[in-house]
Amino acid sequence: QKEVEQDPGPLSVPEGAIVSLNCTYSNSAFQYFMWYRQYSRKGPELLMYTYSSGNKEDGRFTAQVDKSSKYISLFIRDSQPSDSATYLCAAEFYFGTGTSLTVIP
Amino acid sequence: DSGVTQTPKHLITATGQRVTLRCSPRSGDLSVYWYQQSLDQGLQFLIQYYNGEERAKGNILERFSAQQFPDLHSELNLSSLELGDSALYFCASSPMGAGGHEQYFGPGTRLTVT
């Protein structure tokens, strides 16, 4: 079993939609959870990180961690074409395989 | 631009050869991480160094080794290369010690083994 599992998509939504990206992880000892955005095989860019359970909001982005179910989520409100990228979730050093998102104008 | 630099950008070499990838972390960051990204495996953690000392090890092959120098730059050495080693290799740095929840990635080195 992989440490972090992520639905690879692809996910295609119209501009302005709310996007929900999700991951699960296996190790209950994990404390740090991150979301990265990656464009066209360039270096991943850190979007947000959270510690333990709870929510964290940054502009149009909200990260949520539920440690009881080992579930990590990223919500993007009012999605824009510039949000089109691959989104990677991570727990400690372990990354999901990424979800490819396309926002259609 | 994350502030992390990696050289070279591209590398093409033959099976059985040895290569060295170089990374310079962001100014002030003490931790350096190495990752391998291939199409079928995603981003795989290889190894972490903190202020010159190995701190954590992931799925790093015995043919691979790394070190961090006193000026904090790091090198990843890949030897006896195989076709399956073709991948993007990323370096990241972090201002924290263990945990590494705030990592800044470099642009990567694309390695092609022929």
mmCIF file of all heavy atoms in Angstrom, chain B residues 50-98:
data_model
loop_
_atom_site.group_PDB
_atom_site.id
_atom_site.type_symbol
_atom_site.label_atom_id
_atom_site.label_comp_id
_atom_site.label_asym_id
_atom_site.label_seq_id
_atom_site.Cartn_x
_atom_site.Cartn_y
_atom_site.Cartn_z
ATOM 1 N N TYR B 50 20.524 17.575 6.443
ATOM 2 C CA TYR B 50 20.335 18.777 7.264
ATOM 3 C C TYR B 50 21.699 19.229 7.755
ATOM 4 O O TYR B 50 22.363 18.512 8.506
ATOM 5 C CB TYR B 50 19.391 18.503 8.439
ATOM 6 C CG TYR B 50 19.209 19.679 9.352
ATOM 7 C CD1 TYR B 50 18.388 20.742 9.002
ATOM 8 C CD2 TYR B 50 19.896 19.746 10.566
ATOM 9 C CE1 TYR B 50 18.239 21.835 9.829
ATOM 10 C CE2 TYR B 50 19.745 20.837 11.399
ATOM 11 C CZ TYR B 50 18.918 21.874 11.027
ATOM 12 O OH TYR B 50 18.776 22.966 11.852
ATOM 13 N N ASN B 51 22.116 20.379 7.323
ATOM 14 C CA ASN B 51 23.371 20.987 7.753
ATOM 15 C C ASN B 51 24.554 20.010 7.636
ATOM 16 O O ASN B 51 25.375 19.911 8.537
ATOM 17 C CB ASN B 51 23.240 21.472 9.198
ATOM 18 C CG ASN B 51 24.242 22.561 9.517
ATOM 19 O OD1 ASN B 51 24.780 23.228 8.634
ATOM 20 N ND2 ASN B 51 24.517 22.745 10.792
ATOM 21 N N GLY B 52 24.574 19.284 6.541
ATOM 22 C CA GLY B 52 25.693 18.400 6.248
ATOM 23 C C GLY B 52 25.518 16.962 6.699
ATOM 24 O O GLY B 52 26.310 16.089 6.313
ATOM 25 N N GLU B 53 24.490 16.697 7.484
ATOM 26 C CA GLU B 53 24.284 15.350 8.000
ATOM 27 C C GLU B 53 23.061 14.701 7.344
ATOM 28 O O GLU B 53 22.041 15.359 7.148
ATOM 29 C CB GLU B 53 24.060 15.379 9.512
ATOM 30 C CG GLU B 53 25.200 15.981 10.315
ATOM 31 C CD GLU B 53 26.404 15.048 10.345
ATOM 32 O OE1 GLU B 53 26.210 13.819 10.334
ATOM 33 O OE2 GLU B 53 27.542 15.559 10.378
ATOM 34 N N GLU B 54 23.163 13.399 7.061
ATOM 35 C CA GLU B 54 21.999 12.693 6.545
ATOM 36 C C GLU B 54 20.928 12.636 7.618
ATOM 37 O O GLU B 54 21.200 12.229 8.759
ATOM 38 C CB GLU B 54 22.412 11.274 6.115
ATOM 39 C CG GLU B 54 21.263 10.470 5.526
ATOM 40 C CD GLU B 54 21.697 9.051 5.195
ATOM 41 O OE1 GLU B 54 22.685 8.875 4.457
ATOM 42 O OE2 GLU B 54 21.029 8.112 5.700
ATOM 43 N N ARG B 55 19.689 13.022 7.268
ATOM 44 C CA ARG B 55 18.634 13.095 8.277
ATOM 45 C C ARG B 55 17.557 12.027 8.056
ATOM 46 O O ARG B 55 17.010 11.488 9.003
ATOM 47 C CB ARG B 55 17.997 14.478 8.258
ATOM 48 C CG ARG B 55 16.871 14.710 9.233
ATOM 49 C CD ARG B 55 17.312 14.546 10.687
ATOM 50 N NE ARG B 55 18.211 15.588 11.115
ATOM 51 C CZ ARG B 55 17.834 16.688 11.747
ATOM 52 N NH1 ARG B 55 16.560 16.887 12.005
ATOM 53 N NH2 ARG B 55 18.721 17.568 12.140
ATOM 54 N N ALA B 56 17.228 11.768 6.809
ATOM 55 C CA ALA B 56 16.200 10.762 6.510
ATOM 56 C C ALA B 56 16.497 10.144 5.159
ATOM 57 O O ALA B 56 17.085 10.770 4.274
ATOM 58 C CB ALA B 56 14.809 11.386 6.509
ATOM 59 N N LYS B 57 16.110 8.886 5.032
ATOM 60 C CA LYS B 57 16.370 8.165 3.783
ATOM 61 C C LYS B 57 15.072 7.538 3.301
ATOM 62 O O LYS B 57 14.332 6.957 4.082
ATOM 63 C CB LYS B 57 17.438 7.098 4.040
ATOM 64 C CG LYS B 57 18.027 6.487 2.819
ATOM 65 C CD LYS B 57 19.120 5.485 3.201
ATOM 66 C CE LYS B 57 20.478 6.095 3.138
ATOM 67 N NZ LYS B 57 21.565 5.087 3.155
ATOM 68 N N GLY B 58 14.821 7.671 2.023
ATOM 69 C CA GLY B 58 13.622 7.066 1.436
ATOM 70 C C GLY B 58 14.000 5.913 0.547
ATOM 71 O O GLY B 58 14.846 5.095 0.877
ATOM 72 N N ASN B 59 13.406 5.858 -0.634
ATOM 73 C CA ASN B 59 13.633 4.740 -1.551
ATOM 74 C C ASN B 59 14.861 4.964 -2.426
ATOM 75 O O ASN B 59 14.775 4.874 -3.643
ATOM 76 C CB ASN B 59 12.407 4.560 -2.449
ATOM 77 C CG ASN B 59 11.166 4.235 -1.644
ATOM 78 O OD1 ASN B 59 11.230 3.494 -0.677
ATOM 79 N ND2 ASN B 59 10.040 4.800 -2.039
ATOM 80 N N ILE B 60 15.982 5.217 -1.806
ATOM 81 C CA ILE B 60 17.187 5.480 -2.585
ATOM 82 C C ILE B 60 17.929 4.171 -2.831
ATOM 83 O O ILE B 60 18.147 3.378 -1.924
ATOM 84 C CB ILE B 60 18.090 6.526 -1.874
ATOM 85 C CG1 ILE B 60 19.241 6.939 -2.796
ATOM 86 C CG2 ILE B 60 18.546 6.043 -0.507
ATOM 87 C CD1 ILE B 60 19.971 8.192 -2.336
ATOM 88 N N LEU B 61 18.274 3.949 -4.105
ATOM 89 C CA LEU B 61 18.983 2.733 -4.478
ATOM 90 C C LEU B 61 20.427 2.792 -3.965
ATOM 91 O O LEU B 61 20.982 3.870 -3.764
ATOM 92 C CB LEU B 61 18.980 2.580 -6.008
ATOM 93 C CG LEU B 61 17.607 2.466 -6.678
ATOM 94 C CD1 LEU B 61 17.763 2.513 -8.195
ATOM 95 C CD2 LEU B 61 16.896 1.194 -6.254
ATOM 96 N N GLU B 62 21.015 1.624 -3.811
ATOM 97 C CA GLU B 62 22.420 1.565 -3.358
ATOM 98 C C GLU B 62 23.356 2.174 -4.390
ATOM 99 O O GLU B 62 24.447 2.638 -4.041
ATOM 100 C CB GLU B 62 22.815 0.115 -3.077
ATOM 101 C CG GLU B 62 22.235 -0.412 -1.777
ATOM 102 C CD GLU B 62 22.883 -1.720 -1.368
ATOM 103 O OE1 GLU B 62 23.923 -2.086 -1.940
ATOM 104 O OE2 GLU B 62 22.331 -2.389 -0.480
ATOM 105 N N ARG B 63 22.954 2.190 -5.650
ATOM 106 C CA ARG B 63 23.768 2.787 -6.719
ATOM 107 C C ARG B 63 23.769 4.315 -6.645
ATOM 108 O O ARG B 63 24.536 4.976 -7.344
ATOM 109 C CB ARG B 63 23.233 2.362 -8.093
ATOM 110 C CG ARG B 63 23.217 0.877 -8.339
ATOM 111 C CD ARG B 63 22.746 0.556 -9.749
ATOM 112 N NE ARG B 63 21.319 0.730 -9.939
ATOM 113 C CZ ARG B 63 20.769 1.707 -10.638
ATOM 114 N NH1 ARG B 63 21.509 2.626 -11.230
ATOM 115 N NH2 ARG B 63 19.449 1.773 -10.786
ATOM 116 N N PHE B 64 22.886 4.871 -5.827
ATOM 117 C CA PHE B 64 22.763 6.317 -5.692
ATOM 118 C C PHE B 64 23.356 6.741 -4.350
ATOM 119 O O PHE B 64 23.204 6.037 -3.343
ATOM 120 C CB PHE B 64 21.305 6.759 -5.742
ATOM 121 C CG PHE B 64 20.586 6.491 -7.048
ATOM 122 C CD1 PHE B 64 21.220 5.885 -8.117
ATOM 123 C CD2 PHE B 64 19.259 6.870 -7.195
ATOM 124 C CE1 PHE B 64 20.548 5.645 -9.317
ATOM 125 C CE2 PHE B 64 18.574 6.644 -8.387
ATOM 126 C CZ PHE B 64 19.222 6.028 -9.447
ATOM 127 N N SER B 65 23.976 7.890 -4.337
ATOM 128 C CA SER B 65 24.474 8.435 -3.072
ATOM 129 C C SER B 65 24.382 9.950 -3.141
ATOM 130 O O SER B 65 24.276 10.530 -4.229
ATOM 131 C CB SER B 65 25.920 8.002 -2.811
ATOM 132 O OG SER B 65 26.775 8.542 -3.804
ATOM 133 N N ALA B 66 24.393 10.565 -1.990
ATOM 134 C CA ALA B 66 24.301 12.024 -1.949
ATOM 135 C C ALA B 66 25.177 12.543 -0.827
ATOM 136 O O ALA B 66 25.600 11.795 0.065
ATOM 137 C CB ALA B 66 22.846 12.458 -1.742
ATOM 138 N N GLN B 67 25.463 13.818 -0.875
ATOM 139 C CA GLN B 67 26.136 14.479 0.232
ATOM 140 C C GLN B 67 25.790 15.960 0.217
ATOM 141 O O GLN B 67 25.377 16.501 -0.821
ATOM 142 C CB GLN B 67 27.648 14.262 0.172
ATOM 143 C CG GLN B 67 28.315 14.668 -1.117
ATOM 144 C CD GLN B 67 29.797 14.308 -1.114
ATOM 145 O OE1 GLN B 67 30.469 14.345 -0.082
ATOM 146 N NE2 GLN B 67 30.324 13.947 -2.273
ATOM 147 N N GLN B 68 25.957 16.572 1.378
ATOM 148 C CA GLN B 68 25.774 18.016 1.503
ATOM 149 C C GLN B 68 27.075 18.604 2.019
ATOM 150 O O GLN B 68 27.622 18.135 3.014
ATOM 151 C CB GLN B 68 24.615 18.355 2.444
ATOM 152 C CG GLN B 68 24.301 19.842 2.487
ATOM 153 C CD GLN B 68 23.140 20.168 3.415
ATOM 154 O OE1 GLN B 68 22.866 19.465 4.367
ATOM 155 N NE2 GLN B 68 22.447 21.259 3.124
ATOM 156 N N PHE B 69 27.532 19.624 1.354
ATOM 157 C CA PHE B 69 28.847 20.204 1.641
ATOM 158 C C PHE B 69 28.732 21.341 2.658
ATOM 159 O O PHE B 69 27.630 21.815 2.940
ATOM 160 C CB PHE B 69 29.455 20.700 0.328
ATOM 161 C CG PHE B 69 29.764 19.569 -0.623
ATOM 162 C CD1 PHE B 69 28.800 19.102 -1.502
ATOM 163 C CD2 PHE B 69 31.011 18.951 -0.622
ATOM 164 C CE1 PHE B 69 29.066 18.040 -2.371
ATOM 165 C CE2 PHE B 69 31.290 17.907 -1.494
ATOM 166 C CZ PHE B 69 30.315 17.449 -2.350
ATOM 167 N N PRO B 70 29.877 21.780 3.229
ATOM 168 C CA PRO B 70 29.838 22.855 4.233
ATOM 169 C C PRO B 70 29.154 24.126 3.744
ATOM 170 O O PRO B 70 28.564 24.855 4.557
ATOM 171 C CB PRO B 70 31.320 23.096 4.539
ATOM 172 C CG PRO B 70 31.956 21.764 4.293
ATOM 173 C CD PRO B 70 31.221 21.181 3.116
ATOM 174 N N ASP B 71 29.198 24.406 2.430
ATOM 175 C CA ASP B 71 28.498 25.609 1.955
ATOM 176 C C ASP B 71 27.016 25.334 1.701
ATOM 177 O O ASP B 71 26.305 26.170 1.176
ATOM 178 C CB ASP B 71 29.161 26.154 0.683
ATOM 179 C CG ASP B 71 29.017 25.212 -0.504
ATOM 180 O OD1 ASP B 71 28.537 24.073 -0.322
ATOM 181 O OD2 ASP B 71 29.383 25.607 -1.625
ATOM 182 N N LEU B 72 26.557 24.150 2.062
ATOM 183 C CA LEU B 72 25.168 23.670 2.040
ATOM 184 C C LEU B 72 24.685 23.224 0.664
ATOM 185 O O LEU B 72 23.560 22.712 0.570
ATOM 186 C CB LEU B 72 24.192 24.712 2.619
ATOM 187 C CG LEU B 72 24.471 25.092 4.068
ATOM 188 C CD1 LEU B 72 23.499 26.170 4.535
ATOM 189 C CD2 LEU B 72 24.400 23.877 4.984
ATOM 190 N N HIS B 73 25.492 23.364 -0.374
ATOM 191 C CA HIS B 73 25.047 22.796 -1.634
ATOM 192 C C HIS B 73 25.117 21.279 -1.526
ATOM 193 O O HIS B 73 25.823 20.715 -0.673
ATOM 194 C CB HIS B 73 25.828 23.347 -2.826
ATOM 195 C CG HIS B 73 27.045 22.557 -3.214
ATOM 196 N ND1 HIS B 73 28.296 22.754 -2.662
ATOM 197 C CD2 HIS B 73 27.188 21.547 -4.100
ATOM 198 C CE1 HIS B 73 29.159 21.919 -3.209
ATOM 199 N NE2 HIS B 73 28.519 21.168 -4.081
ATOM 200 N N SER B 74 24.356 20.606 -2.375
ATOM 201 C CA SER B 74 24.284 19.155 -2.299
ATOM 202 C C SER B 74 24.504 18.549 -3.678
ATOM 203 O O SER B 74 24.250 19.197 -4.701
ATOM 204 C CB SER B 74 22.913 18.727 -1.761
ATOM 205 O OG SER B 74 22.788 17.314 -1.713
ATOM 206 N N GLU B 75 25.004 17.342 -3.680
ATOM 207 C CA GLU B 75 25.191 16.602 -4.929
ATOM 208 C C GLU B 75 24.566 15.223 -4.795
ATOM 209 O O GLU B 75 24.659 14.592 -3.733
ATOM 210 C CB GLU B 75 26.671 16.484 -5.265
ATOM 211 C CG GLU B 75 27.301 17.815 -5.629
ATOM 212 C CD GLU B 75 28.770 17.703 -5.991
ATOM 213 O OE1 GLU B 75 29.341 16.597 -5.906
ATOM 214 O OE2 GLU B 75 29.343 18.753 -6.366
ATOM 215 N N LEU B 76 23.928 14.784 -5.868
ATOM 216 C CA LEU B 76 23.357 13.447 -5.951
ATOM 217 C C LEU B 76 24.143 12.698 -7.013
ATOM 218 O O LEU B 76 24.213 13.143 -8.154
ATOM 219 C CB LEU B 76 21.875 13.513 -6.326
ATOM 220 C CG LEU B 76 21.144 12.170 -6.476
ATOM 221 C CD1 LEU B 76 21.033 11.466 -5.124
ATOM 222 C CD2 LEU B 76 19.746 12.388 -7.073
ATOM 223 N N ASN B 77 24.763 11.601 -6.616
ATOM 224 C CA ASN B 77 25.560 10.796 -7.531
ATOM 225 C C ASN B 77 24.791 9.545 -7.918
ATOM 226 O O ASN B 77 24.302 8.809 -7.050
ATOM 227 C CB ASN B 77 26.879 10.394 -6.867
ATOM 228 C CG ASN B 77 27.700 11.598 -6.457
ATOM 229 O OD1 ASN B 77 28.146 12.367 -7.311
ATOM 230 N ND2 ASN B 77 27.878 11.796 -5.161
ATOM 231 N N LEU B 78 24.692 9.317 -9.211
ATOM 232 C CA LEU B 78 23.980 8.154 -9.734
ATOM 233 C C LEU B 78 24.980 7.330 -10.529
ATOM 234 O O LEU B 78 25.600 7.841 -11.464
ATOM 235 C CB LEU B 78 22.822 8.575 -10.641
ATOM 236 C CG LEU B 78 21.910 9.708 -10.131
ATOM 237 C CD1 LEU B 78 20.881 10.074 -11.187
ATOM 238 C CD2 LEU B 78 21.245 9.323 -8.835
ATOM 239 N N SER B 79 25.157 6.070 -10.168
ATOM 240 C CA SER B 79 26.154 5.257 -10.854
ATOM 241 C C SER B 79 25.532 3.998 -11.452
ATOM 242 O O SER B 79 24.377 3.657 -11.146
ATOM 243 C CB SER B 79 27.279 4.873 -9.887
ATOM 244 O OG SER B 79 26.762 4.120 -8.817
ATOM 245 N N SER B 80 26.301 3.337 -12.306
ATOM 246 C CA SER B 80 25.832 2.118 -13.001
ATOM 247 C C SER B 80 24.425 2.332 -13.537
ATOM 248 O O SER B 80 23.511 1.543 -13.293
ATOM 249 C CB SER B 80 25.858 0.922 -12.040
ATOM 250 O OG SER B 80 27.156 0.718 -11.538
ATOM 251 N N LEU B 81 24.282 3.420 -14.271
ATOM 252 C CA LEU B 81 22.947 3.846 -14.691
ATOM 253 C C LEU B 81 22.238 2.820 -15.549
ATOM 254 O O LEU B 81 22.857 2.134 -16.389
ATOM 255 C CB LEU B 81 23.048 5.183 -15.434
ATOM 256 C CG LEU B 81 23.278 6.392 -14.516
ATOM 257 C CD1 LEU B 81 23.671 7.614 -15.330
ATOM 258 C CD2 LEU B 81 22.043 6.667 -13.676
ATOM 259 N N GLU B 82 20.936 2.721 -15.341
ATOM 260 C CA GLU B 82 20.065 1.822 -16.096
ATOM 261 C C GLU B 82 19.005 2.651 -16.808
ATOM 262 O O GLU B 82 18.759 3.804 -16.438
ATOM 263 C CB GLU B 82 19.407 0.821 -15.148
ATOM 264 C CG GLU B 82 20.400 -0.013 -14.353
ATOM 265 C CD GLU B 82 19.725 -0.901 -13.316
ATOM 266 O OE1 GLU B 82 18.469 -0.860 -13.221
ATOM 267 O OE2 GLU B 82 20.442 -1.634 -12.617
ATOM 268 N N LEU B 83 18.380 2.036 -17.819
ATOM 269 C CA LEU B 83 17.348 2.760 -18.567
ATOM 270 C C LEU B 83 16.257 3.287 -17.640
ATOM 271 O O LEU B 83 15.734 4.391 -17.825
ATOM 272 C CB LEU B 83 16.736 1.852 -19.635
ATOM 273 C CG LEU B 83 17.665 1.391 -20.759
ATOM 274 C CD1 LEU B 83 16.942 0.449 -21.697
ATOM 275 C CD2 LEU B 83 18.208 2.589 -21.536
ATOM 276 N N GLY B 84 15.935 2.494 -16.621
ATOM 277 C CA GLY B 84 14.869 2.860 -15.700
ATOM 278 C C GLY B 84 15.197 4.040 -14.796
ATOM 279 O O GLY B 84 14.319 4.531 -14.089
ATOM 280 N N ASP B 85 16.438 4.491 -14.830
ATOM 281 C CA ASP B 85 16.807 5.660 -14.027
ATOM 282 C C ASP B 85 16.440 6.960 -14.729
ATOM 283 O O ASP B 85 16.553 8.044 -14.143
ATOM 284 C CB ASP B 85 18.312 5.653 -13.728
ATOM 285 C CG ASP B 85 18.723 4.443 -12.903
ATOM 286 O OD1 ASP B 85 17.914 3.988 -12.065
ATOM 287 O OD2 ASP B 85 19.854 3.949 -13.108
ATOM 288 N N SER B 86 16.012 6.873 -15.972
ATOM 289 C CA SER B 86 15.581 8.070 -16.693
ATOM 290 C C SER B 86 14.387 8.682 -15.973
ATOM 291 O O SER B 86 13.377 8.005 -15.747
ATOM 292 C CB SER B 86 15.183 7.708 -18.136
ATOM 293 O OG SER B 86 16.289 7.226 -18.859
ATOM 294 N N ALA B 87 14.504 9.939 -15.601
ATOM 295 C CA ALA B 87 13.466 10.589 -14.804
ATOM 296 C C ALA B 87 13.846 12.051 -14.618
ATOM 297 O O ALA B 87 14.927 12.492 -15.025
ATOM 298 C CB ALA B 87 13.318 9.919 -13.439
ATOM 299 N N LEU B 88 12.934 12.776 -13.983
ATOM 300 C CA LEU B 88 13.242 14.122 -13.494
ATOM 301 C C LEU B 88 13.728 13.990 -12.062
ATOM 302 O O LEU B 88 13.100 13.285 -11.253
ATOM 303 C CB LEU B 88 11.982 14.985 -13.497
ATOM 304 C CG LEU B 88 11.661 15.806 -14.738
ATOM 305 C CD1 LEU B 88 10.260 16.363 -14.635
ATOM 306 C CD2 LEU B 88 12.663 16.924 -14.925
ATOM 307 N N TYR B 89 14.820 14.647 -11.753
ATOM 308 C CA TYR B 89 15.339 14.642 -10.389
ATOM 309 C C TYR B 89 15.221 16.056 -9.820
ATOM 310 O O TYR B 89 15.753 17.006 -10.380
ATOM 311 C CB TYR B 89 16.785 14.160 -10.362
ATOM 312 C CG TYR B 89 16.884 12.691 -10.675
ATOM 313 C CD1 TYR B 89 16.909 12.244 -11.993
ATOM 314 C CD2 TYR B 89 16.904 11.741 -9.662
ATOM 315 C CE1 TYR B 89 16.953 10.887 -12.306
ATOM 316 C CE2 TYR B 89 16.963 10.382 -9.950
ATOM 317 C CZ TYR B 89 16.976 9.967 -11.274
ATOM 318 O OH TYR B 89 17.018 8.625 -11.563
ATOM 319 N N PHE B 90 14.480 16.144 -8.717
ATOM 320 C CA PHE B 90 14.263 17.437 -8.088
ATOM 321 C C PHE B 90 15.009 17.516 -6.765
ATOM 322 O O PHE B 90 15.104 16.548 -6.020
ATOM 323 C CB PHE B 90 12.769 17.667 -7.807
ATOM 324 C CG PHE B 90 11.942 17.932 -9.026
ATOM 325 C CD1 PHE B 90 11.072 16.967 -9.506
ATOM 326 C CD2 PHE B 90 12.015 19.152 -9.685
ATOM 327 C CE1 PHE B 90 10.294 17.201 -10.626
ATOM 328 C CE2 PHE B 90 11.255 19.403 -10.806
ATOM 329 C CZ PHE B 90 10.389 18.426 -11.283
ATOM 330 N N CYS B 91 15.463 18.698 -6.509
ATOM 331 C CA CYS B 91 16.018 19.042 -5.213
ATOM 332 C C CYS B 91 15.059 20.042 -4.580
ATOM 333 O O CYS B 91 14.455 20.861 -5.285
ATOM 334 C CB CYS B 91 17.401 19.648 -5.426
ATOM 335 S SG CYS B 91 18.070 20.519 -4.031
ATOM 336 N N ALA B 92 14.903 19.963 -3.281
ATOM 337 C CA ALA B 92 14.095 20.937 -2.556
ATOM 338 C C ALA B 92 14.861 21.368 -1.319
ATOM 339 O O ALA B 92 15.710 20.622 -0.816
ATOM 340 C CB ALA B 92 12.741 20.335 -2.171
ATOM 341 N N SER B 93 14.570 22.555 -0.834
ATOM 342 C CA SER B 93 15.178 22.970 0.426
ATOM 343 C C SER B 93 14.100 23.473 1.372
ATOM 344 O O SER B 93 12.985 23.809 0.955
ATOM 345 C CB SER B 93 16.259 24.041 0.211
ATOM 346 O OG SER B 93 15.709 25.304 -0.117
ATOM 347 N N SER B 94 14.430 23.486 2.634
ATOM 348 C CA SER B 94 13.466 23.842 3.660
ATOM 349 C C SER B 94 14.177 24.559 4.786
ATOM 350 O O SER B 94 15.288 24.184 5.151
ATOM 351 C CB SER B 94 12.803 22.567 4.188
ATOM 352 O OG SER B 94 12.032 22.831 5.341
ATOM 353 N N PRO B 95 13.511 25.559 5.385
ATOM 354 C CA PRO B 95 14.139 26.233 6.519
ATOM 355 C C PRO B 95 14.030 25.437 7.805
ATOM 356 O O PRO B 95 14.636 25.768 8.798
ATOM 357 C CB PRO B 95 13.326 27.527 6.647
ATOM 358 C CG PRO B 95 11.997 27.195 6.070
ATOM 359 C CD PRO B 95 12.263 26.191 4.990
ATOM 360 N N MET B 96 13.249 24.336 7.802
ATOM 361 C CA MET B 96 13.071 23.554 9.009
ATOM 362 C C MET B 96 14.066 22.404 9.057
ATOM 363 O O MET B 96 14.745 22.121 8.079
ATOM 364 C CB MET B 96 11.645 22.998 9.057
ATOM 365 C CG MET B 96 10.572 24.034 8.952
ATOM 366 S SD MET B 96 10.599 25.187 10.329
ATOM 367 C CE MET B 96 9.301 26.327 9.832
ATOM 368 N N GLY B 97 14.095 21.701 10.192
ATOM 369 C CA GLY B 97 14.939 20.517 10.290
ATOM 370 C C GLY B 97 14.176 19.312 9.832
ATOM 371 O O GLY B 97 13.789 19.192 8.689
ATOM 372 N N ALA B 98 13.885 18.400 10.719
ATOM 373 C CA ALA B 98 13.081 17.235 10.350
ATOM 374 C C ALA B 98 11.643 17.667 10.103
ATOM 375 O O ALA B 98 11.214 18.728 10.540
ATOM 376 C CB ALA B 98 13.126 16.212 11.477
#
